[in-house]
Every structure is written in structure tokens, then in C-alpha cells.
Amino acid sequence: MKQHFTSALSQTFGRFASKEHGRIFQNMINRTYVRAMGLDMSDFEPPESYPSLNALFTRKFRHKRSFSHDPLDMISPCDSLITECGAINEDLALQIKGMSYSVDGVLGEGISSDSKKSIRNGTFVNFYLSPRDYHRYHAPIDMQVLHAVHIPGKLYPVNIPSLKKQVNLFIENERVILECLSAQGKRFFLILVGALNVGEMEVSFEPRIRTNSVLTPSQYSYRDLYLSKGDDFGCFRMGSTIVMLCEKEMLELGISTGHNVRFGQIIARLTSSR
């Protein structure tokens, strides 16, 4: 596939954001961004401690955030707005009210048909990370990662106005798909969706995935890759979206469309049966 103009724009922004501009100018950039976007820095180091804008985007907590260790509590993987959530209707989930997308389409050709069928009539959650949010993502439950699939694509914005006008946005955009199993043996997917100015989506356990640079799809399989609830497994280099697709009767949601959630907040309760 050819590089889309949105990818070229994002690469240009990524080069600026990755550059260390010198202490005085960089401090000005960082403080301006924090003020303009309304970042809450109370859990993080002060803005002037980050050597680049990307370092500020991908900041880590100064102290670990606490969360429930009950194995049946699912926590939010990130700080975000729930733009839509609910039941998957056969193969369809909501991008935004009144506009659906195909679950098979968003998962792409790298996921087996049997795995796709397992989440028919299941549950979905769309997490939108704005530029003001904490940009790292974490395991929502104890989980096994079976496969990672990288699908290059466009980098349209994923904010609310774009969700309302761009049909099949999650299918058109670049994404990284993680196929996972819960401790109860239930299948679910975490889909990292790229967006304008997201120069990179980092997956810490798979350095071979290089987003917004490689133009051919790739996929990787694992035998013994486990993440514990709360584990940090990567970051966006700006705001973006995580789509979660879960097998039928895997969980009961405790959040609704329009809720703002924070990493570590309980968002669902897992069913205890295998």
C-alpha cells in the first residue's frame, strides 16, 4: 500500500515532538502544551523535567496508581472517554451513535474466522484518549496474549467530530490488534487504533511492530506471553483510541457511553465460569 497523506503529516509532527529543542525552548513548549491542553500533572513529574514533547506525551506515573486486585474486576486500561460501549449485534459494533462498523473488518485478515466468530454478540468498549490524557496503556485483567497483528493504514483523527463523519474510521486507520485470553479462558481483543499525529504506537513486548513507517501487514504468535492486571505494555505518541471486543457472556459492564474513566477504575465484572 502507498503512504497516505495523514501518515506523512503525522511523521512530520512526530519528528518535531521527538526532537530535544534545548532546555529553555523545550520548557516553553512543554509548559505551553500543558496549559493549552489542560493537563493534570499532579501524578507526574513537572513539565520542565521532560526533554521532548514525546517524553511528556508518554510520561509515566510518579507513584503507581492503585487498583482492585480482585481477579474478577476488570479495570480501565487507560485514561479516556468512553465514546461508545455495549453489545455487539452479530458482526456490528457502534463507532458512534447511528454509525456501526464491522467487527470482522476491524480485526482484518490476520485473525482467524473462528476467533472472529467467538465475539459475535459479545461486548465492545471504545476508549478515546484525547491529547490531554495520560497516553500509556495497561492490561485490564490478568491475560494471555496469543497473537499481535499490525495493519498499516490511514491516520484520520479519532475525535468525536471525526467519528461522526468518517465511515469505517476504525477499519481505515492503522491499528495493532492483540488477541488475548482471560484467566477464565474467554477470548477478547484489544485494538490500538492510530490517529492523526500519532507517530508511533509502542507495544513493549513486540519491538518488531513499527507503526507509521512499515507499509506491509505483519503478525506474531506467542506460546507463553502473560500480562498481569495493571502491567504497562506501551503507549501512544499522542491521543488515540483503544477498542476492546469481548466474547459473549465474558463480562458485565459497569460503565456507559459518555463516561470519563481513569486507568485502574473498575469498568466491568468478569463472569466466573469458564
Side-chain angles (χ1 to χ4, degrees), residues 126-186:
N126 303 338
F127 303 87
Y128 168 62
L129 293 77
S130 77
R132 74 172 64 87
D133 285 319
Y134 167 68
H135 290 70
R136 306 197 71 83
Y137 29 80
H138 300 255
I141 55 174
D142 294 337
M143 65 193 223
Q144 180 182 3
V145 182
L146 302 178
H147 301 100
V149 179
H150 172 218
I151 304 177
K154 301 168 184 175
L155 290 173
Y156 292 121
V158 293
N159 53 27
I160 298 296
S162 295
L163 290 174
K164 289 180 176 179
K165 70 180 181 181
Q166 186 68 46
V167 177
N168 287 332
L169 179 58
F170 297 152
I171 296 174
E172 293 278 340
N173 273 18
E174 181 172 28
R175 56 207 183 277
V176 175
I177 299 157
L178 304 182
E179 182 177 358
C180 311
L181 289 179
S182 71
Q184 293 74 32
K186 296 286 190 178

Side-chain angles (χ1 to χ4, degrees), residues 72 74 123 249-255 267-271:
L72 296 183
M74 173 181 277
T123 305
E249 298 179 351
M250 174 178 164
L251 52 78
E252 294 181 2
L253 285 178
I255 42 89
I267 60 169
R269 182 76 174 170
L270 301 181
T271 59

Side-chain angles (χ1 to χ4, degrees), residues 61 65 74-83 125-130 133-141 190-192 230-236 238-244 255 259-267:
F61 291 117
R65 189 177 285 176
M74 173 181 277
I75 62 173
S76 175
C78 55
D79 289 7
S80 61
L81 169 69
I82 306 299
T83 53
V125 184
N126 303 338
F127 303 87
Y128 168 62
L129 293 77
S130 77
D133 285 319
Y134 167 68
H135 290 70
R136 306 197 71 83
Y137 29 80
H138 300 255
I141 55 174
L190 292 174
I191 304 169
L192 312 174
D231 281 355
D232 178 339
F233 66 91
C235 60
F236 292 114
M238 192 79 171
S240 195
T241 288
I242 298 174
V243 174
M244 183 168 66
I255 42 89
H259 280 183
N260 285 289
V261 296
R262 285 162 54 88
F263 158 61
Q265 177 180 336
I266 297 170
I267 60 169

Side-chain angles (χ1 to χ4, degrees), residues 71-125:
L72 296 183
D73 283 340
M74 173 181 277
I75 62 173
S76 175
C78 55
D79 289 7
S80 61
L81 169 69
I82 306 299
T83 53
E84 283 292 349
C85 64
I88 300 169
N89 183 9
E90 291 294 336
D91 171 50
L92 296 177
L94 285 178
Q95 175 174 299
I96 201 77
K97 185 177 181 180
M99 188 183 297
S100 299
Y101 62 90
S102 162
V103 166
D104 283 6
V106 80
L107 292 176
E109 297 179 358
I111 301 298
S112 73
S113 58
D114 285 344
S115 292
K116 290 177 180 178
K117 288 178 183 176
S118 71
I119 58 167
R120 293 285 177 99
N121 298 308
T123 305
F124 77 96
V125 184

